[in-house]
Amino acid sequence: MSTVVSHPELQRWINEIFDHCEAKEVYLCDGSQEQFEELAEKLVAAGTLVRLNEERRPNSYWAHSDPRDVARVESKTYICSERQEDAGPTNNWRSPLEMKATLTDLYKGSMRGRTMYVIPFSMGPLGSEFSIIGVEITDSAYVVLNMMYMTEVGRTVLERLGDDGNFVKCLHSVGAPIDDEESEDVPWPCNPENTYIAHFPETEEIWSFGSGYGGNALLGKKCLALRIATAVARREGWLAEHMLILKLTDPSGRVHYVAGAFPSACGKTNLAMLVPTLKGWKAETIGDDIAWMRFGSDGRLYAVNPEKGFFGVAPGTSSKSNPVAMETIKHSTIFTNTALTEDLDVWWEGIEQEPGKLTDWQGKPWDPSVGSPAAHPNARFTVPASNSPTIAPEWQDPNGVPISAIMFGGRRSSLVPLVTESFSFDHGVFMGATMASETTAAAEGKVGKLRRDPFAMLPFCGYHMADYFAHWLAMGESGDDSKLPKIFLVNWFRRDADGRFLWPGYGENSRVLKWMIERVEGKVDALSTPLGLVPKPEDLDLEGLNLEPERLTQLFDVNESELIEEVVSIEEHFNSFGPKLPKRLWDHLERLRSTIRNN
Ligand code: GTP
Ligand code: SPV
Ligand code: MN
């Protein structure tokens, strides 16, 4: 095989994979528009993509996946640290040796008949102290196009890497060789029986096999920027988090940046693109899924968004719920598993337009009488962040933006109030460590089941979760108390007895954000409750909302028997981590328990 790059170790690895996977040819991705178009055309010819109506949705494509390959597969995701105890009880584990043996067999000849794409990419602005370079080798052109929207790809990255720079090796194969030259390829090749998403945190490698879906295949995202990055961040003293980053400007022009961790499909993209209903407030996006944070020389915590695009949930997105997203995806967008209209545009449940006759996400004819959803609940759009009308001008600042407040939130139909401020940074870590949320369609498995999802990182922490809690506590300790972000627990998803959401959410969440900022600025007091500090009724700006006082009460009501159940459930959760669980977190649980006893 000819030389394609000047970096000797990268070239050696390319040769090794090319020989072992028996690919047909090598294709180096340079990040150019020409290559994007060439590959998009190839995918249209293969039936993987449908080009959308140029007038209604310029430069955009629709894909629908194999019905067995629609979400992240947590049951097949592994952290392969040398020692099992380093992966901890929340991760699947195999020894690196064993996993590599299994996968080496599977990769043997797995790219036969296919092109092997080499994608040099950067997570984080090139040249920033924050960034990490990766190279993904994949046999999927669909992955290449998505990576081009989600990350910085190509020549600029290779230049930065030089001839001896470090990079994370990210290997991906859909695991579907084409053995017979004559036979036609399927539109969405994958290998669900043999899917593995394996991470080797010590050697900083990712081996992914069998799936073409986002989080399993776009290896810069969850695999590198979270699972590998958490392990690196722990060693180096920073944080890699499943968080949105939002810029808020108050009516007097004062700017605050806030970050927020919510589990998959629990509102990060929506909050990151919020249109405040409060007069005079402005919101702009820095990032919608991942935040890398470290202390700056001024002692404040700075965050960058390591991504360059959004891979967002389509269903439920409308010009009412998220007008900014609707504007962002007007052109140059890849849609996966939405429905397709007769005039080649996209449709999903919750969009405002009437459906009419459609092709559903499985490629079958659909009309409302069919009964099942036309779009898969985890249908997604992939779009460059630069498409967004409200992306903040500083969104790629290599130094990041200083964070004033951090939110933790999940789907809790009961118990957890609309907003609670932590008593201290430590107590905020307790809030993060005990977060729970009802499961969504973003991962395989049942939807709507309550599970503990600490820091919204349950599927994404690359090491022992109790060590991760300790790392958060240590970060708090190393910071200057007066400069640490304030921490808040929020819940947009509380329901009334009839199952309706108590809080209108979306743009109205700006009312909660305003209170948080006023707390950060020391402008208002708060009321102390067993769970934390809550707004005094007069401090939550509800003007023009028409929220019945009864509903407001319910939004903050903490039922004692539910609280007792919660304490018991947190105790179980903590026990599952064994002796590694930091004592300070147990102390917070005991304090909470004592408030019940004292009543
Ligand atoms: P990932 O991309 O999977 O990490 O998810 P995300 O956290 O970015 O989720 P997203 O913003 O796409 O939210 C998905 C779901 O949450 C959709 O069904 C939204 O309609 C719903 N949602 C978002 N914000 C709110 C809110 O404030 N209130 C209510 N009730 N639902 C919301
Ligand atoms: C999530 O599931 O949290 C996502 C989508 O953001 S994926 O990239 O598939 O992980
Ligand atoms: Mn996510």
Side-chain angles (χ1 to χ4, degrees):
M1 206 198 72
S2 59
T3 304
V4 293
V5 293
S6 64
H7 189 294
E9 173 54 17
L10 176 53
Q11 182 65 47
R12 189 205 59 73
W13 181 56
I14 293 170
N15 293 347
E16 177 193 322
I17 302 303
F18 180 75
D19 290 342
H20 184 73
C21 297
E22 301 172 30
K24 190 172 68 182
E25 58 190 356
V26 175
Y27 186 109
L28 180 65
C29 301
D30 64 10
S32 67
Q33 187 57 30
E34 292 73 39
Q35 280 198 350
F36 187 97
E37 279 161 25
E38 178 192 329
L39 295 180
E41 263 170 48
K42 184 177 162 175
L43 287 166
V44 168
T48 310
L49 294 182
V50 170
R51 195 176 176 121
L52 295 176
N53 186 320
E54 197 51 35
E55 260 138 52
R56 305 188 51 171
R57 202 74 67 171
N59 192 30
S60 297
Y61 299 88
W62 176 76
H64 71 96
S65 75
D66 184 301
R68 299 166 299 171
D69 192 20
V70 296
R72 284 183 294 100
V73 284
E74 293 179 5
S75 65
K76 293 168 178 180
T77 299
Y78 291 82
I79 299 299
C80 306
S81 44
E82 289 292 340
R83 303 184 315 167
Q84 180 164 11
E85 66 195 86
D86 292 335
T90 59
N91 285 309
N92 299 311
W93 178 84
R94 286 268 206 297
S95 79
L97 219 61
E98 191 189 336
M99 182 55 87
K100 285 193 169 175
T102 303
L103 281 171
T104 298
D105 282 352
L106 287 169
Y107 282 120
K108 178 76 192 150
S110 74
M111 296 186 184
R112 225 173 287 132
R114 295 192 186 281
T115 301
M116 179 179 120
Y117 301 93
V118 177
I119 318 170
F121 67 93
S122 172
M123 300 310 290
L126 271 181
S128 158
E129 190 191 359
F130 283 91
S131 18
I132 298 183
I133 288 178
V135 178
E136 176 160 352
I137 291 185
T138 177
D139 52 9
S140 162
Y142 167 87
V143 164
V144 177
L145 297 189
N146 280 270
M147 285 292 286
M148 285 179 79
Y149 278 173
M150 296 302 296
T151 71
E152 171 84 18
V153 161
R155 296 229 174 283
T156 49
V157 180
L158 281 182
E159 270 160 30
R160 186 81 213 176
L161 185 63
D163 289 349
D164 56 2
N166 279 332
F167 65 97
V168 177
K169 290 178 180 145
C170 307
L171 175 57
H172 172 252
S173 172
V174 292
I178 307 167
D179 285 316
D180 176 1
E181 286 280 312
E182 307 297 294
S183 70
E184 239 182 78
D185 194 8
V186 291
W188 189 278
C190 60
N191 188 342
E193 289 80 38
N194 292 301
T195 294
Y196 290 91
I197 320 297
H199 306 74
F200 305 91
E202 281 118 353
T203 51
E204 298 179 19
E205 293 169 283
I206 300 156
W207 290 19
S208 165
F209 190 90
S211 167
Y213 168 78
N216 304 326
L218 313 177
L219 302 186
K221 197 172 175 54
K222 296 299 161 56
C223 300
L224 192 161
L226 289 179
R227 299 195 191 95
I228 296 294
T230 46
V232 175
R234 180 188 180 204
R235 293 196 282 272
E236 297 179 354
W238 51 280
L239 296 166
E241 301 300 326
H242 193 202
M243 287 183 184
L244 70 109
I245 311 167
L246 175 67
K247 175 185 182 183
L248 286 168
T249 308
D250 76 9
S252 73
R254 219 197 311 249
V255 170
H256 282 281
Y257 299 93
V258 299
F262 299 75
S264 302
C266 290
K268 289 182 301 301
T269 303
N270 280 274
L271 195 59
M273 297 181 178
L274 160 112
V275 180
T277 49
L278 285 177
K279 260 233 196 81
W281 284 75
K282 186 172 162 190
E284 290 158 281
T285 308
I286 303 281
D288 83 324
D289 197 48
I290 299 176
W292 285 352
M293 304 192 284
R294 60 176 77 210
F295 289 112
S297 51
D298 61 357
R300 295 194 65 188
L301 191 64
Y302 282 77
V304 301
N305 164 17
E307 303 191 278
K308 277 191 77 173
F310 307 125
F311 182 60
V313 176
T317 310
S318 70
S319 35
K320 222 172 135 218
S321 67
N322 192 345
V324 173
M326 291 306 280
E327 201 55 37
T328 305
I329 60 179
K330 270 194 166 158
H331 66 95
S332 312
T333 303
I334 301 165
F335 297 89
T336 305
N337 289 340
T338 66
L340 181 70
T341 65
E342 274 186 316
D343 56 354
L344 300 185
D345 199 3
V346 285
W347 190 91
W348 48 77
E349 280 66 25
I351 204 172
E352 272 145 320
Q353 289 76 14
E354 285 304 311
K357 277 206 168 69
L358 300 170
T359 301
D360 74 5
W361 71 273
Q362 303 204 52
K364 296 185 187 128
W366 187 96
D367 65 49
S369 72
V370 168
S372 56
H376 187 277
N378 191 38
R380 300 248 169 189
F381 51 79
T382 317
V383 65
S386 55
N387 270 26
S388 164
T390 58
I391 194 83
E394 66 275 44
W395 76 285
Q396 291 183 291
D397 188 330
N399 299 316
V401 295
I403 299 297
S404 300
I406 292 176
M407 280 168 276
F408 295 124
R411 289 177 186 262
R412 292 294 300 259
S413 21
S414 60
L415 185 71
V416 177
L418 178 64
V419 58
T420 320
E421 180 187 329
S422 71
F423 297 121
S424 61
F425 190 87
D426 265 29
H427 181 237
V429 174
F430 174 79
M431 284 176 166
T434 57
M435 261 169 76
S437 189
E438 288 135 25
T439 49
T440 67
E444 62 184 329
K446 218 174 144 251
V447 167
K449 209 172 140 254
L450 188 72
R451 71 168 183 184
R452 296 283 151 199
D453 188 349
F455 294 78
M457 286 290 282
L458 181 69
F460 307 121
C461 183
Y463 60 97
H464 197 299
M465 188 65 93
D467 288 333
Y468 167 89
F469 298 159
H471 179 57
W472 261 87
L473 290 170
M475 286 291 290
E477 241 162 46
S478 73
D480 172 344
D481 251 357
S482 67
K483 292 177 181 167
L484 286 173
K486 274 193 182 293
I487 300 181
F488 300 85
L489 185 66
V490 299
N491 181 16
W492 319 139
F493 298 93
R494 207 144 159 186
R495 295 178 193 260
D496 64 15
D498 298 325
R500 286 172 311 182
F501 289 119
L502 281 164
W503 178 249
Y506 303 99
E508 305 295 1
N509 294 334
S510 56
R511 299 172 187 276
V512 175
L513 291 166
K514 178 185 174 188
W515 181 73
M516 292 192 224
I517 299 302
E518 287 177 347
R519 286 293 298 158
V520 167
E521 293 184 340
K523 284 187 181 156
V524 292
D525 290 335
L527 301 172
S528 192
T529 75
L531 289 174
L533 305 166
V534 299
K536 292 159 83 177
E538 66 271 26
D539 288 336
L540 196 57
D541 187 342
L542 298 176
E543 207 186 307
L545 186 61
N546 270 330
L547 188 76
E548 295 155 32
E550 162 71 2
R551 289 177 90 75
L552 184 63
T553 310
Q554 286 178 48
L555 274 163
F556 285 94
D557 180 52
V558 175
N559 174 291
E560 179 150 321
S561 69
E562 280 177 11
L563 185 58
I564 293 170
E565 262 175 54
E566 180 78 355
V567 165
V568 171
S569 149
I570 292 175
E571 182 172 1
E572 238 170 73
H573 169 62
F574 278 2
N575 274 326
S576 74
F577 296 107
K580 276 198 176 196
L581 194 98
K583 180 173 174 300
R584 267 184 282 167
L585 296 183
W586 276 117
D587 294 344
H588 280 292
L589 181 61
E590 285 320 311
R591 187 206 45 78
L592 180 58
R593 199 198 306 270
S594 71
T595 64
I596 304 173
R597 281 204 211 101
N598 294 344
N599 268 332

